[in-house]
Each structure stands twice: as structure tokens, then as C-alpha cells.
Amino acid sequence: MLAVRPVLDIRSAKVEVELTNRCNLRCGMCPMDRMGRPQGDMPWWLVEKAAAELAAAGARVSWLHEMGEPLLYPRLAEAIELFPGCSISTNAMLLDEERARELLATSLRRIRLCIDTVNPQVYPRLRRGGDFDRVAANIRTFLDLSRGRPIRVEIQRLISLATSSETVRDIEEFFSLYRHPQARVIEKTCEGLDTARATEFHEAYHGCFQGYPFRYFVVLSDGTVTHCCYDYDGAQAIGDLKRSTVQEILASDVPRRFLAAFQARDFATLPRCGECMRAATAGGAVTSRVMQLGHRLDRVLPIKRIARRIINR
């Protein structure tokens, strides 16, 4: 008999562990100020529990990040060693030479440096509380120190209404990336985690950006586990790693109940999904189906990269 694929397949899911949800910035497109859960760090015993149980389940942790700034976590270097092949995403404000050398001494596979723009007038609108010159200097230092190291350095360009006049080439030239083969520019579409409505940074959108609501397994800093990377408040929790094991969470009936609710468009049960599906027009429904198709095609063709060059959300 053919095995029935689980609703949430941990072996193919994108797994994230949020070491902290504290942050030193208040970015314009981020709902930090509206986050209802208390701010704090994941206790070390829970980090070790997550690492052991996720490895036993055959999962690979992609990111030590959800909300928050990972460089604020005091035992970040130790945590990296518990999750082979993991990546971190940082606003680079705290990435001075000492922290850069500390990270480069670990097994960190990838680091994403989120400057978003090389326009010093636009930067404060996006990265509120950040210092453009300091971040640019930190990135340049990291590029120099990481040259020749087995790490992939990604410099993030945010595709938003505020940055529509900029290009990948602008960032490549600003940081002289021709000198740094370990680095490249990645483009990230700007979607507000808290609203699907139009804002000063993005247009209105509709539909599940993952194409399927169970592509993620996200362990938040308080142990809450959610199935969506947009669920910054843990409103659609599928378990609690402080009280259950990874296998118990996966084997529970919650993912199946949530899938049935998603198919029935029961957004009283799934309020986070309801926000992304808010603009349920005929055009929006078509967009949602196109996104699902795009996710499938992206496995063999660079659909996302091409789409990000022509769509500004």
C-alpha cells in the first residue's frame, strides 16, 4: 500500500527556530509593536530539546529566526552548532568585527544581511532605528572577513514601493561584490506580516504565499509551534514544544483539523489565514491559484526569482 503523506511533512518542511523575539529595530513593514506575545529569549534547555528532537525526526533547521534579531541571543554561536546547515537573518546593526569573527568561527552555512536599500534617505523608512552608515560598514567588514570561507553571504534587497527605482546592480556596485564571490544579492518581496491591505510599502495581496498552509514548522521562542511563517503571534498554534515532543505535535489531530478549516475557508479557526485571504475577489482567487502553481514549478525552474523581478507587492 502507498503511504499517506502527512499533512505536515517535517522532512520537507521549512523548519525555523526562533531563538529570540526581541529586536533592536522597529522596521516599517514589521509588526513588532503589535506582537501580543511577551518578548524574550528561548531558554537553553528548550534550544537543546528542539535540536535533538528535530534531528531525530529527520528535519533540517533552515533558519534560527522568525521574529526578533538573532544577534541579541547571548548563546547564538553555541546554538548554531546544534543545528547543522542552519542560516541566520540579521539587520546587521550589531554585526561588528568581533561578532563577525565569532560567527565565522562556527559552522554557519548562510547569513542574510538585511540592508534592503542603498539609498540612505529610504533606509530610515524601512529600518526604523537603524544607522545606515553603521550597517553598510558592518556589511563591508563581514564581506572582507568571510572571503574564502565556506559561507554564503546574502545581501537583501527589499522589493517595495519605496525601493522600486533601485536594482540588484545598484547593491552589487555599492558593495563591490565582484571582489566577493561568496556573496550575492537576493530579492525579497515586501509582504506585511500583519495585514494584506495596501500600505506605503506594498500593494494589497491575496492568497497563501506558501501555496499550501503546511510548508513550515516554526518553533517560537516561548515553545509555541505554528505552521506558518506569517503567524508572528502564534495564533494558529499546532503545539507547544515545552509540553510535547516534536513527534507528538506532528501526530496530533491539529494539523488535520487546520487543513479541513483551510479548505472550508473557516477563518474563525484560522485568523492568520483569514488576513491573507481577506481580499477574496475573483481576481484574488486566480492569483492564489497562480501562486500555488508557481510554488510547484519553482522546484524545477527559477519561477520565484523571475516573478520577483516583475511583481512589486
Side-chain angles (χ1 to χ4, degrees):
M1 292 179 60
L2 292 175
V4 177
R5 185 178 180 181
V7 172
L8 200 166
D9 189 345
I10 194 70
R11 296 165 300 177
S12 60
K14 295 181 180 179
V15 182
E16 299 178 353
V17 175
E18 180 190 74
L19 297 176
T20 183
N21 66 347
R22 297 182 295 120
C23 194
N24 54 338
L25 301 186
R26 290 297 180 269
C27 300
M29 59 289 186
C30 179
M32 275 295 298
D33 287 336
R34 292 176 290 283
M35 186 171 63
R37 55 193 174 100
Q39 295 185 31
D41 297 344
M42 182 177 285
W44 186 248
W45 71 266
L46 187 56
V47 176
E48 293 182 312
K49 180 177 188 286
E53 292 183 5
L54 288 167
R60 183 179 71 83
V61 173
S62 301
W63 295 97
L64 297 183
H65 173 74
E66 170 59 15
M67 297 291 285
E69 168 53 54
L71 267 63
L72 287 172
Y73 192 71
R75 300 180 71 172
L76 176 59
E78 294 175 77
I80 289 170
E81 299 306 330
L82 293 179
F83 300 97
C86 70
S87 306
I88 64 170
S89 176
T90 173
N91 59 47
M93 275 287 289
L94 303 176
L95 191 62
D96 57 18
E97 182 175 344
E98 181 181 357
R99 296 304 300 276
R101 291 186 183 278
E102 179 185 38
L103 291 178
L104 289 169
T106 71
S107 59
L108 186 66
R109 180 179 69 92
R110 171 176 54 168
I111 186 170
R112 181 169 294 175
L113 308 175
C114 300
I115 192 170
D116 295 340
T117 175
V118 289
N119 185 330
Q121 280 70 53
V122 172
Y123 178 85
R125 293 173 56 196
L126 298 172
R127 297 285 168 177
R128 294 171 183 164
D131 183 319
F132 178 81
D133 291 335
R134 176 177 170 182
V135 168
N138 286 348
I139 291 175
R140 288 193 173 99
T141 296
F142 195 88
L143 287 170
D144 289 339
L145 292 174
S146 63
R147 189 163 47 217
R149 302 291 190 99
I151 186 172
R152 188 168 80 191
V153 181
E154 297 179 345
I155 301 177
Q156 178 173 290
R157 173 187 176 254
L158 191 69
I159 300 177
S160 73
L161 298 176
T163 61
S164 59
S165 64
E166 295 182 58
T167 66
V168 168
R169 178 69 63 85
D170 292 331
I171 297 179
E172 290 173 341
E173 292 178 350
F174 185 81
F175 288 109
S176 302
L177 291 194
Y178 68 90
R179 298 176 50 240
H180 303 285
Q182 82 281 19
R184 67 187 183 103
V185 177
I186 65 103
E187 295 182 290
K188 176 71 172 64
T189 48
C190 179
E191 306 103 26
L193 296 184
D194 57 323
T195 181
R197 297 183 178 93
T199 72
E200 63 175 305
F201 303 112
H202 62 79
E203 298 171 0
Y205 63 87
H206 165 86
C208 181
F209 266 77
Q210 307 312 320
Y212 174 73
F214 296 97
R215 295 192 187 280
Y216 277 81
F217 187 94
V218 183
V219 186
L220 302 178
S221 57
D222 63 358
T224 300
V225 178
T226 179
H227 64 95
C228 176
C229 64
Y230 278 32
D231 187 16
Y232 62 92
D233 249 341
Q236 294 177 189
I238 60 172
D240 184 345
L241 200 59
K242 281 185 173 178
R243 297 178 175 85
S244 307
T245 67
V246 167
Q247 291 291 3
E248 287 170 343
I249 292 170
L250 293 171
S252 78
D253 68 342
V254 178
R256 288 185 289 276
R257 286 196 292 106
F258 278 11
L259 179 59
F262 183 82
Q263 292 170 336
R265 297 299 190 258
D266 174 8
F267 298 134
T269 299
L270 303 175
R272 176 58 263 186
C273 291
E275 180 58 44
C276 287
M277 297 292 188
R278 178 184 295 277
T281 62
V286 171
T287 301
S288 186
R289 286 193 289 271
V290 169
M291 278 192 272
Q292 292 182 39
L293 177 61
H295 277 280
R296 295 189 184 100
L297 290 175
D298 194 62
R299 297 172 183 173
V300 293
L301 295 170
I303 296 296
K304 288 183 184 178
R305 188 179 64 194
I306 295 170
R308 282 174 173 163
R309 291 183 181 277
I310 59 177
I311 297 175
N312 178 17
R313 291 189 180 275

